[in-house]
């Protein structure tokens, strides 16, 4: 498994200060985010869990998954969640030609616009984006949304209990938290998400969206 930070290092936030890592506030607001959907059954299940806690979230969607699951995507919008761009094909910016990468993002944006959704927020798949790519996107008006807390639900080498702990031990007011509404992440997600929602509610946190 490649290296990753569960809690983003404050030095990294400072060095890459043009990216959004958290949204500080004094109201105990946190920002749940879900990457890689919409995915049949998984995203539906996530929506059901969020509804139980009256929680709103931000979904960074892959363009090809939107096209394949339009009804499910529209459900995200009608239930009041925020939508972000996660490229058309889950592209790794570090491994991509800059023009191709931006074109892939624009292709996803075109799908979002067809569905009357045009939030200019973007999360790079794997958190990997080159400086030049970032500069172009920001000139186009995008906010690049990273994270403060990574659940690591995608990591099949960790236990569901560890996935839960990753969030509950590191969350603070203003945290942007990452889960994945994907098949790969679902074993960890299905254990950790309901317990995370319960923990956050019990500890006085409220849920807000990014836009």
């Amino acid at each position: 498994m490649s290296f990753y930070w569960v809690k983003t290092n404050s030095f990294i936030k400072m060095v890459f200060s043009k990216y959004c890592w958290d949204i500080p506030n004094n109201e105990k607001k946190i920002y749940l985010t879900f990457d890689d959907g919409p995915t049949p059954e998984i995203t539906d299940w996530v929506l059901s869990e969020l509804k139980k806690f009256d929680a709103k979230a931000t979904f960074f969607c892959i363009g090809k998954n939107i096209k394949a699951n339009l009804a499910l995507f529209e459900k995200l919008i009608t239930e009041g969640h925020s939508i972000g761009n996660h490229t058309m094909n889950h592209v790794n910016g570090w491994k991509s030609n800059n023009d191709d990468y931006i074109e892939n993002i624009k292709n996803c944006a075109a799908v979002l616009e067809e569905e009357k959704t045009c939030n200019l927020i973007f999360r790079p798949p794997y958190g990997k984006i080159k400086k030049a790519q970032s500069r172009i996107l920001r000139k186009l008006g995008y906010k690049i949304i990273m994270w403060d807390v990574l659940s690591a639900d995608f990591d099949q080498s960790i236990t569901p209990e560890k996935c839960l702990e990753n969030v509950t031990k590191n969350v603070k007011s203003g945290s942007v938290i990452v889960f994945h509404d994907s098949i790969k992440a679902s074993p960890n997600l299905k254990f950790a998400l309901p317990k995370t929602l319960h923990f956050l509610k019990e500890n006085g946190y409220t849920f807000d969206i990014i836009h």
Side-chain angles (χ1 to χ4, degrees):
M1 189 67 224
S2 58
F3 173 80
Y4 55 84
W5 271 300
V6 166
K7 178 76 171 176
T8 302
N9 185 287
S10 57
F11 178 73
I12 293 296
K13 292 179 183 181
M14 186 176 67
V15 171
F16 296 98
S17 59
K18 289 185 170 67
Y19 303 159
C20 173
W21 298 94
D22 49 23
I23 304 173
N25 63 82
N26 297 316
E27 303 161 68
K28 292 196 83 171
K29 285 182 187 173
I30 59 91
Y31 300 82
L32 287 176
T33 68
F34 295 86
D35 290 2
D36 296 356
T39 308
E41 297 183 15
I42 310 301
T43 304
D44 263 324
W45 177 85
V46 168
L47 288 174
S48 173
E49 292 302 310
L50 291 174
K51 194 175 282 186
K52 289 176 189 175
F53 291 86
D54 194 27
K56 299 300 183 209
T58 303
F59 288 79
F60 288 92
C61 296
I62 296 172
K64 68 179 178 126
N65 288 350
I66 297 171
K67 292 186 83 166
N69 304 287
L70 273 180
L72 183 52
F73 177 73
E74 285 162 6
K75 192 174 176 185
L76 292 175
I77 298 168
T78 58
E79 295 196 3
H81 303 287
S82 183
I83 307 296
N85 187 321
H86 201 47
T87 75
M88 192 71 187
N89 305 97
H90 206 259
V91 179
N92 183 330
W94 289 4
K95 296 180 179 178
S96 303
N97 167 283
N98 292 348
D99 290 341
D100 292 343
Y101 188 70
I102 299 301
E103 188 64 26
N104 199 277
I105 294 163
K106 286 181 175 178
N107 288 343
C108 182
V111 173
L112 293 172
E113 284 164 17
E114 281 173 25
E115 298 305 309
K116 309 293 187 289
T117 305
C118 56
N119 288 336
L120 289 176
I121 56 174
F122 172 73
R123 174 172 285 153
Y126 315 101
K128 294 178 178 177
I129 183 169
K130 295 175 187 171
K131 187 182 280 188
Q133 295 163 350
S134 160
R135 190 163 53 245
I136 294 165
L137 283 178
R138 285 184 285 109
K139 280 184 179 174
L140 292 171
Y142 280 92
K143 288 187 218 169
I144 298 173
I145 311 298
M146 295 302 214
W147 57 81
D148 177 49
V149 178
L150 193 64
S151 71
D153 53 355
F154 58 84
D155 186 347
Q156 295 169 316
S157 72
I158 69 167
T159 65
E161 290 81 6
K162 177 61 178 167
C163 178
L164 172 63
E165 184 182 289
N166 285 343
V167 180
T168 59
K169 292 284 174 70
N170 292 292
V171 66
K172 65 175 184 178
S173 182
S175 285
V176 174
I177 302 166
V178 181
F179 286 101
H180 294 76
D181 51 329
S182 67
I183 291 168
K184 179 182 178 184
S186 63
N188 284 335
L189 176 72
K190 287 190 172 181
F191 176 87
L193 181 60
K195 290 178 171 58
T196 294
L197 289 164
H198 184 265
F199 172 88
L200 292 170
K201 204 82 168 178
E202 284 285 296
N203 284 275
Y205 289 98
T206 59
F207 306 93
D208 206 352
I209 57 174
I210 304 169
H211 45 73

